[in-house]
């Protein structure tokens, strides 16, 4: 069964304190791994897609990396506006276009 | 350019009532999806439509029906609402497998069944 596990469930950081969010996955044939950001009361917003182990992508203070079993979302020198829930999802070759989501990590950054 | 539009934004139903959640996208995407989001459960796929004229069950389809009315519109129907269907419902769309630009999500429908 395809599965996505995110940790920690919640993370509190001080502004400027770098850290990483983890996404472990089990999928029979990874087509892509996705990261989304979700603000309270809104729909998820696309951040990155990673396709193969060793791949990295960056956007402002965020950098996503991928191995054969997990992905990390590194947050460098976070700001309060980075506070949100970060969702990881996988897409399997045999499942067509559907995504399987993890439960998310809620990040709070205080100034 | 509205993206994905969901209506209504909020709804309260009594147990046993029926309703249809509407979703429309203006990005000419082939694929559309319905997810529900519950505290502690994450986003779970209810139904999806890979292209106009096709629909497939996701992880939690029981109690729901869908209609892909045309390329733009994908509706979700609750025939006899139950308290277990209290949730936030998100519609999304993607071009093909959504890998380059991801899915585009609507802002959600918050449904309460009493």
């Amino acid at each position: 069964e395809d599965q996505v596990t995110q940790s920690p469930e919640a993370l509190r950081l001080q502004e400027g304190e770098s850290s990483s969010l983890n996404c472990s996955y089990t999928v029979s044939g990874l087509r892509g791994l996705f990261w989304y950001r979700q603000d309270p009361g809104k729909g998820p917003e696309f951040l990155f897609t990673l396709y193969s182990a060793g791949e990295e992508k960056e956007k402002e203070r965020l950098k996503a990396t991928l191995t054969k079993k997990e992905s990390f979302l590194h947050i460098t020198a976070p700001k309060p506006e980075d506070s949100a829930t970060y969702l990881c999802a996988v897409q399997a070759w045999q499942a067509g276009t559907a995504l399987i989501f993890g439960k998310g990590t809620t990040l709070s950054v205080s100034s | 350019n509205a993206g994905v539009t969901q209506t209504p934004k909020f709804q309260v139903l009594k147990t046993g009532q029926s309703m249809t959640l509407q979703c429309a996208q203006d990005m000419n995407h082939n694929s559309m999806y319905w997810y529900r989001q519950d505290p502690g459960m994450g986003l779970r796929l209810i139904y999806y439509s890979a292209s106009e004229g096709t629909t497939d069950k996701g992880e939690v389809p029981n109690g729901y029906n869908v209609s892909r009315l045309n390329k733009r519109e994908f509706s979700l129907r609750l025939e006899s609402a139950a308290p277990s269907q209290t949730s936030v419902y998100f519609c999304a769309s993607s071009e093909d497998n959504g890998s380059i630009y991801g899915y585009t999500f609507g802002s959600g429908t918050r449904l309460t069944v009493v």
Side-chain angles (χ1 to χ4, degrees):
Chain A
E1 181 182 345
D2 300 334
Q3 201 166 4
V4 178
T5 303
Q6 292 187 247
S7 62
E9 289 185 13
L11 181 62
R12 292 182 179 274
L13 299 174
Q14 291 289 320
E15 185 172 5
E17 180 186 2
S18 301
S19 187
S20 296
L21 282 55
N22 177 264
C23 172
S24 298
Y25 64 91
T26 303
V27 63
S28 51
L30 181 69
R31 189 175 193 177
L33 185 140
F34 297 70
W35 282 98
Y36 284 82
R37 169 189 171 127
Q38 186 174 24
D39 293 302
K42 295 188 177 182
E45 178 185 345
F46 173 70
L47 292 174
F48 307 109
T49 308
L50 302 167
Y51 299 98
S52 57
E55 188 174 2
E56 299 182 352
K57 288 193 176 174
E58 292 188 63
K59 181 180 180 179
E60 297 180 353
R61 295 176 292 282
L62 301 176
K63 183 168 111 175
T65 62
L66 181 65
T67 72
K68 288 187 177 180
K69 293 184 178 181
E70 56 191 351
S71 177
F72 293 93
L73 186 64
H74 307 277
I75 304 176
T76 302
K79 298 182 178 182
E81 53 262 41
D82 295 321
S83 297
T85 295
Y86 291 87
L87 303 172
C88 173
V90 297
Q91 189 179 61
W93 280 104
Q94 74 276 15
T97 60
L99 297 183
I100 299 169
F101 283 84
K103 296 178 182 180
T105 293
T106 299
L107 173 66
S108 299
V109 182
S110 54
S111 57
Chain B
N1 191 347
V4 176
T5 302
Q6 291 184 235
T7 55
K9 294 189 183 302
F10 300 93
Q11 184 71 49
V12 179
L13 288 178
K14 294 183 178 179
T15 298
Q17 287 185 319
S18 63
M19 78 162 295
T20 300
L21 281 63
Q22 305 287 352
C23 174
Q25 52 93 5
D26 62 2
M27 296 167 287
N28 202 36
H29 286 169
N30 284 320
S31 302
M32 298 186 74
Y33 316 84
W34 277 105
Y35 283 87
R36 61 177 289 174
Q37 188 172 39
D38 303 291
M41 298 295 292
L43 281 158
R44 293 181 292 169
L45 182 65
I46 305 171
Y47 272 93
Y48 66 102
S49 171
S51 61
E52 186 178 356
T54 68
T55 60
D56 287 286
K57 295 179 180 179
E59 181 185 355
V60 288
N62 291 344
Y64 305 95
N65 286 302
V66 290
S67 296
R68 184 73 183 267
L69 303 171
N70 47 54
K71 191 171 185 178
R72 291 186 64 250
E73 299 173 287
F74 189 37
S75 63
L76 179 71
R77 183 162 178 82
L78 287 70
E79 292 290 351
S80 179
S84 61
Q85 294 178 305
T86 293
S87 187
V88 181
Y89 292 85
F90 288 101
C91 177
S93 70
S94 70
E95 52 178 40
D96 299 321
N97 65 14
S99 63
I100 297 177
Y101 302 109
Y103 289 13
T104 301
F105 282 83
S107 57
T109 295
R110 284 149 184 79
L111 176 66
T112 302
V113 183
V114 297

